[in-house]
């Protein structure tokens, strides 16, 4: 065999007969200068089930379930789990209330927290403060950061213990005690009453006990029903639906009514403030012909079907008023004005004459002649202004105009 010849061995395709034990030899000439092409990359091919089964068990990846990501619906369930936030004030209220009453159910019914926890939440939080240092230590440090005023306000509103109420119940209702008597009571029982209690607090709580007939000299009088004993059906027949509804008050309904009343009062106050800032006076509808006398402060007036506008400055703006844009003459008070621009035009008085400038897209008709956008026209006494089916009569106060002319000439 020559050195320039290279022998290659190739496996025959499956299903075809093989020569010489399943191998066929052939010679391929190749130059000595040419080198075979090689690559360092590994050929990736698709793995089949039999290849995976042939791997040892240590190389087969097995999921242990620890790093498994939760599904989307599981995340939604986790996000909807309620989380009760306990602040330092709530923890202080809970600790003081439990120390005073020794009853978690009483704490749940009587103590007002910053949120509305359930009985299970209160019980769980109390056990955490007792037995879990990782929670109780930060909570204690947070309580220590509260100011003295905040702590004293919470301590004064804490629950009353049974021993405190027993001592207060010994004071008879007929004795009419004063503030000095409760001061003496505090000095006599310093270990029973909470250190934050004052004589005024004792007097207020005693008065509350007296109202509910819980003092020693008070007894609850039984109802005098007479000889006949009424059953439930007899009592139900004596009451009507009107009587029941008269004494029933819905807190949600009352709250909504208060909100509506407050909103209406706010709107009324805002309108009263806007009236003071208006430069024109608006009059109501008149019966019969529209006739009135212009005072010495009015240059002219616009008479409409329902209202009149008095011009008391040398320049007024015409248009449609909005919450963010105010004008001197609001055409929306006369009628439908949604097609009128916010600033439709101005009326200006100069040298005894009145001129109207139109800045809006809609034309203004003066005596039947249109004044388009960007143009102006002179106004005469008793001329008719019309815009978007709204008609006004322009009236000039000749006395005021003459006085203005004379004062300008004298100046």
């Amino acid at each position: 065999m020559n050195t320039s010849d290279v022998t290659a061995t190739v496996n025959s395709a499956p299903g075809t007969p093989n020569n010489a034990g399943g191998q066929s030899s052939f010679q391929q000439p190749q130059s000595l200068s040419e080198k075979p092409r090689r690559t360092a990359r590994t050929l990736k091919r698709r793995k089949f089930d039999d290849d995976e089964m042939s791997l040892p068990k240590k190389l087969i990846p097995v999921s242990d379930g620890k790093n498994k990501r939760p599904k989307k619906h599981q995340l939604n369930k986790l996000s909807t789990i309620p989380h009760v936030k306990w602040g330092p004030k709530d923890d202080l209220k809970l600790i003081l209330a439990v120390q005073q009453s020794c009853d978690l159910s009483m704490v749940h019914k009587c103590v007002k927290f910053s949120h509305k926890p359930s009985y299970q939440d209160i019980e769980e939080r109390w056990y955490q403060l007792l037995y879990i240092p990782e929670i109780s230590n930060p909570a204690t440090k947070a309580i220590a950061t509260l100011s003295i005023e905040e702590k004293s306000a919470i301590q004064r509103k804490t629950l009353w213990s049974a021993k405190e109420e027993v001592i207060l119940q010994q004071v008879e209702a007929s004795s009419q005690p004063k503030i000095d008597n409760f001061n003496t009571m505090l000095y006599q029982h310093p270990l029973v009453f909470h250190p934050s209690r004052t004589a005024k607090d004792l007097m207020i709580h005693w008065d509350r006990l007296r109202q509910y007939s819980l003092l020693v000299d008070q007894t609850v009088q039984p109802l005098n029903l007479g000889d006949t004993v009424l059953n439930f059906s007899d009592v139900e027949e004596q009451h009507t639906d009107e009587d029941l509804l008269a004494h029933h008050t819905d807190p949600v309904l009352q709250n909504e009514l208060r909100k509506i009343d407050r909103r209406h009062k706010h709107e009324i106050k805002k309108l009263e403030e806007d009236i003071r800032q208006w430069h024109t006076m608006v009059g109501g509808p008149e019966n019969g012909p529209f006739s009135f006398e212009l005072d010495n402060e009015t240059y002219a007036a616009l008479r409409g079907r329902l209202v009149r506008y008095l011009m008391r400055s040398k320049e007024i703006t015409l248009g449609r008023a909005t919450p963010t844009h105010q004008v001197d003459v609001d055409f929306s008070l006369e009628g439908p004005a949604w097609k009128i621009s916010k600033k439709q035009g101005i009326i200006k008085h100069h040298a005894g004459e009145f001129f109207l400038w139109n800045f809006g897209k809609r034309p203004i008709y003066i005596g039947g002649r249109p004044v388009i956008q960007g143009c102006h026209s002179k106004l005469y006494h008793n001329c008719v202004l019309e815009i978007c089916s709204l008609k006004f009569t322009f009236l000039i106060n000749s006395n005021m105009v003459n006085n203005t002319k004379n004062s300008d000439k004298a100046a």
Side-chain angles (χ1 to χ4, degrees):
M1 183 182 297
N2 299 328
T3 58
S4 61
D5 298 334
V6 179
T7 302
T9 305
V10 191
N11 295 331
S12 61
T16 58
N18 299 334
N19 295 329
Q23 295 181 355
S24 62
S25 300
F26 64 93
Q27 297 178 355
Q28 180 180 358
Q30 186 177 5
S31 174
L32 292 176
S33 61
E34 295 180 359
K35 295 182 180 180
R37 298 178 62 185
R38 295 179 181 179
T39 179
R41 295 183 302 173
T42 57
L43 298 177
K44 295 182 180 180
R45 64 185 183 87
R46 188 175 182 183
K47 292 183 179 181
F48 298 92
D49 295 339
D50 54 352
D51 295 339
E52 185 176 355
M53 294 300 294
S54 63
L55 292 174
K57 293 184 178 181
K58 294 183 179 180
L59 300 179
I60 299 177
V62 180
S63 176
D64 54 355
K66 294 182 180 179
N67 298 327
K68 189 175 181 181
R69 295 180 61 185
K71 296 182 179 179
K72 187 175 182 180
H73 64 87
Q74 294 177 350
L75 290 174
N76 294 335
K77 289 182 180 180
L78 292 175
S79 62
T80 56
I81 296 176
H83 178 69
V84 180
K85 179 66 175 177
W86 290 85
K89 293 184 179 180
D90 295 333
D91 290 336
L92 183 58
K93 290 180 182 179
L94 177 60
I95 293 171
L96 293 175
V98 174
Q99 289 176 352
Q100 288 291 108
S101 63
C102 301
D103 188 0
L104 291 178
S105 61
M106 184 67 67
V107 175
H108 176 250
K109 294 177 182 177
C110 301
V111 180
K112 184 177 181 181
F113 297 96
S114 61
H115 54 280
K116 293 184 179 180
S118 61
Y119 177 79
Q120 290 76 14
D121 297 334
I122 295 176
E123 185 178 19
E124 181 182 0
R125 185 61 179 180
W126 177 246
Y127 289 155
Q128 289 175 354
L129 295 175
L130 283 179
Y131 303 113
I132 303 178
E134 292 80 2
I135 297 178
S136 61
N137 293 336
T140 306
K141 293 179 181 179
I143 292 174
T145 58
L146 295 176
S147 62
I148 299 176
E149 292 79 7
E150 293 175 342
K151 290 182 180 179
S152 61
I154 295 173
Q155 290 173 356
R156 291 186 62 183
K157 295 181 181 179
T158 188
L159 295 180
W160 292 78
S161 64
K163 295 181 179 180
E164 291 176 335
E165 290 187 344
V166 168
I167 296 175
L168 289 175
Q169 287 174 355
Q170 301 303 321
V171 181
E172 297 180 356
S174 59
S175 62
Q176 297 181 356
K178 297 182 180 180
I179 195 74
D180 297 335
N181 302 110
F182 294 103
N183 273 323
T184 306
M185 189 180 298
L186 284 175
Y187 289 120
Q188 292 177 354
H189 307 280
L191 300 179
V192 177
F193 290 101
H194 195 273
S196 63
R197 307 291 189 201
T198 60
K200 186 177 181 180
D201 296 335
L202 268 63
M203 189 173 184
I204 293 173
H205 193 67
W206 175 85
D207 187 62
R208 191 179 295 112
L209 294 175
R210 182 181 60 83
Q211 291 177 2
Y212 287 97
S213 302
L214 297 176
L215 302 179
V216 290
D217 60 337
Q218 291 180 331
T219 56
V220 180
Q221 299 293 333
L223 295 176
N224 186 11
L225 300 178
D227 299 334
T228 59
V229 179
L230 300 178
N231 55 19
F232 182 77
S233 60
D234 296 335
V235 176
E236 188 178 13
E237 290 178 356
Q238 294 179 0
H239 294 279
T240 59
D241 295 339
E242 290 77 7
D243 297 336
L244 296 176
L245 293 174
H247 299 286
H248 177 71
T249 57
D250 188 1
V252 179
L253 179 60
Q254 296 297 328
N255 189 21
E256 292 295 330
L257 291 176
R258 284 194 296 270
K259 289 182 180 179
I260 294 173
D261 183 61
R262 185 164 59 251
R263 185 167 61 250
H264 288 171
K265 290 180 179 178
H266 180 70
E267 293 177 356
I268 293 173
K269 185 178 179 181
K270 185 178 179 181
L271 290 175
E272 290 177 352
E273 293 177 355
D274 293 342
I275 290 174
R276 300 189 189 100
Q277 299 176 1
W278 287 352
H279 298 288
T280 58
M281 297 179 59
V282 181
E286 301 279 348
N287 295 326
F290 191 90
S291 60
F292 63 94
E293 293 182 358
L294 299 177
D295 53 14
N296 295 330
E297 298 179 357
T298 304
Y299 290 94
L302 276 176
R303 184 189 69 184
R305 184 176 59 89
L306 298 176
V307 295
R308 67 173 183 265
Y309 304 93
L310 303 181
M311 182 178 175
R312 292 192 167 182
S313 60
K314 292 187 177 182
E315 181 178 339
I316 60 174
T317 57
L318 316 175
R320 175 173 48 86
T322 61
T324 58
H325 180 76
Q326 298 296 329
V327 292
D328 297 330
V329 177
D330 185 9
F331 288 134
S332 60
L333 299 176
E334 174 69 17
W338 58 83
K339 294 183 179 180
I340 298 177
S341 303
K342 296 179 181 179
K343 187 176 181 181
Q344 183 67 37
I346 61 172
I347 296 177
K348 184 180 294 186
H349 171 253
H350 178 69
E353 296 180 345
F354 293 88
F355 298 91
L356 182 141
W357 275 265
N358 185 12
F359 300 141
K361 295 182 180 180
R362 301 284 175 178
I364 301 176
Y365 294 89
I366 301 176
R369 295 181 180 181
V371 180
I372 61 176
Q373 185 180 13
C375 299
H376 69 279
S377 178
K378 186 178 179 181
L379 297 177
Y380 299 93
H381 183 65
N382 279 334
C383 65
V384 178
L385 278 72
E386 182 178 357
I387 177 172
C388 296
S389 302
L390 300 179
K391 293 183 179 181
F392 301 90
T393 302
F394 187 73
L395 303 175
I396 298 176
N397 188 0
S398 57
N399 296 330
M400 179 66 178
V401 173
N402 294 332
N403 294 335
T404 306
K405 282 184 180 180
N406 296 332
S407 61
D408 293 341
K409 290 180 181 179

